[in-house]
Short mmCIF file of all heavy atoms in Angstrom, two decimals:
data_model
loop_
_atom_site.label_atom_id
_atom_site.label_comp_id
_atom_site.label_asym_id
_atom_site.label_seq_id
_atom_site.Cartn_x
_atom_site.Cartn_y
_atom_site.Cartn_z
N ARG A 12 144.32 77.82 -59.31
CA ARG A 12 145.38 76.98 -58.99
C ARG A 12 145.60 76.91 -57.52
O ARG A 12 145.95 75.78 -56.94
CB ARG A 12 146.70 77.53 -59.54
CG ARG A 12 147.98 76.59 -59.54
CD ARG A 12 149.23 77.35 -59.81
NE ARG A 12 149.53 78.26 -58.79
CZ ARG A 12 150.34 79.32 -58.90
NH1 ARG A 12 150.98 79.61 -60.09
NH2 ARG A 12 150.55 80.21 -57.89
N VAL A 15 143.07 74.50 -56.09
CA VAL A 15 143.46 73.09 -56.39
C VAL A 15 144.60 72.59 -55.42
O VAL A 15 144.48 71.54 -54.85
CB VAL A 15 143.98 72.92 -57.89
CG1 VAL A 15 144.54 71.55 -58.07
CG2 VAL A 15 142.75 73.19 -58.78
N LEU A 55 147.73 66.13 -59.72
CA LEU A 55 146.68 66.91 -60.36
C LEU A 55 146.91 68.40 -60.23
O LEU A 55 146.74 69.20 -61.12
CB LEU A 55 145.34 66.58 -59.72
CG LEU A 55 144.11 67.32 -60.24
CD1 LEU A 55 143.94 67.11 -61.72
CD2 LEU A 55 142.89 66.99 -59.49
N ALA A 56 147.34 68.85 -59.07
CA ALA A 56 147.69 70.24 -58.86
C ALA A 56 148.78 70.65 -59.65
O ALA A 56 148.66 71.85 -60.26
CB ALA A 56 148.00 70.44 -57.30
N LEU A 57 149.84 70.05 -59.91
CA LEU A 57 150.91 70.37 -60.77
C LEU A 57 150.40 70.42 -62.26
O LEU A 57 150.69 71.35 -62.95
CB LEU A 57 152.01 69.34 -60.68
CG LEU A 57 152.79 69.54 -59.39
CD1 LEU A 57 153.93 68.37 -59.30
CD2 LEU A 57 153.54 70.83 -59.29
N ALA A 58 149.56 69.45 -62.65
CA ALA A 58 149.06 69.50 -64.01
C ALA A 58 148.19 70.68 -64.24
O ALA A 58 148.26 71.28 -65.30
CB ALA A 58 148.33 68.17 -64.23
N VAL A 59 147.28 70.96 -63.28
CA VAL A 59 146.51 72.10 -63.38
C VAL A 59 147.25 73.49 -63.44
O VAL A 59 146.99 74.32 -64.33
CB VAL A 59 145.39 72.25 -62.25
CG1 VAL A 59 144.68 73.53 -62.22
CG2 VAL A 59 144.47 71.15 -62.38
N GLY A 60 148.33 73.50 -62.64
CA GLY A 60 149.15 74.74 -62.73
C GLY A 60 149.80 74.94 -64.06
O GLY A 60 149.91 76.06 -64.59
N TRP A 61 150.31 73.74 -64.62
CA TRP A 61 150.95 73.86 -65.96
C TRP A 61 149.84 74.23 -67.05
O TRP A 61 150.16 74.95 -67.94
CB TRP A 61 151.57 72.48 -66.25
CG TRP A 61 152.10 72.41 -67.61
CD1 TRP A 61 151.53 71.79 -68.78
CD2 TRP A 61 153.29 72.92 -68.16
NE1 TRP A 61 152.29 72.03 -69.88
CE2 TRP A 61 153.46 72.73 -69.56
CE3 TRP A 61 154.32 73.62 -67.52
CZ2 TRP A 61 154.54 73.08 -70.31
CZ3 TRP A 61 155.44 74.05 -68.30
CH2 TRP A 61 155.55 73.72 -69.73
N ARG A 62 148.69 73.64 -66.91
CA ARG A 62 147.65 73.79 -67.90
C ARG A 62 147.22 75.36 -67.84
O ARG A 62 146.95 75.93 -68.94
CB ARG A 62 146.43 72.93 -67.67
CG ARG A 62 145.26 73.21 -68.54
CD ARG A 62 145.58 72.66 -69.92
NE ARG A 62 144.46 72.81 -70.93
CZ ARG A 62 144.18 73.93 -71.50
NH1 ARG A 62 144.89 75.06 -71.27
NH2 ARG A 62 143.12 74.07 -72.35
N LEU A 63 147.16 75.93 -66.72
CA LEU A 63 146.63 77.36 -66.63
C LEU A 63 147.75 78.33 -66.99
O LEU A 63 147.33 79.30 -67.66
CB LEU A 63 146.17 77.56 -65.24
CG LEU A 63 144.94 76.81 -64.68
CD1 LEU A 63 144.69 77.11 -63.32
CD2 LEU A 63 143.69 77.23 -65.62
N GLU A 64 148.93 78.04 -66.58
CA GLU A 64 150.05 79.11 -66.82
C GLU A 64 151.06 78.67 -67.79
O GLU A 64 151.97 79.54 -68.01
CB GLU A 64 150.58 79.50 -65.47
CG GLU A 64 149.58 80.03 -64.45
CD GLU A 64 150.29 80.41 -63.08
OE1 GLU A 64 151.49 80.71 -63.12
OE2 GLU A 64 149.45 80.58 -62.15
N ARG A 65 151.06 77.53 -68.31
CA ARG A 65 152.10 76.95 -69.17
C ARG A 65 153.44 77.04 -68.47
O ARG A 65 154.47 77.18 -69.26
CB ARG A 65 152.10 77.80 -70.45
CG ARG A 65 150.79 77.64 -71.33
CD ARG A 65 150.65 76.19 -71.67
NE ARG A 65 149.35 75.92 -72.39
CZ ARG A 65 148.93 74.73 -72.82
NH1 ARG A 65 149.54 73.55 -72.40
NH2 ARG A 65 147.84 74.59 -73.42
N ARG A 66 153.49 77.02 -67.25
CA ARG A 66 154.76 76.95 -66.46
C ARG A 66 154.46 76.41 -65.11
O ARG A 66 153.27 76.31 -64.69
CB ARG A 66 155.43 78.35 -66.44
CG ARG A 66 154.61 79.23 -65.52
CD ARG A 66 155.23 80.62 -65.48
NE ARG A 66 154.53 81.51 -64.57
CZ ARG A 66 155.00 81.75 -63.37
NH1 ARG A 66 156.04 81.09 -62.88
NH2 ARG A 66 154.16 82.56 -62.48
N LEU A 67 155.51 76.02 -64.43
CA LEU A 67 155.31 75.57 -63.06
C LEU A 67 156.09 76.59 -62.13
O LEU A 67 157.27 76.65 -62.18
CB LEU A 67 155.98 74.16 -62.87
CG LEU A 67 155.23 73.03 -63.59
CD1 LEU A 67 156.09 71.66 -63.46
CD2 LEU A 67 153.88 72.89 -63.09
#
Side-chain angles (χ1 to χ4, degrees):
R12 190 193 67 199
V15 173
L55 176 62
L57 289 174
V59 170
W61 174 262
R62 178 68 178 83
L63 292 176
E64 300 185 20
R65 294 301 179 186
R66 69 185 183 93
L67 292 175

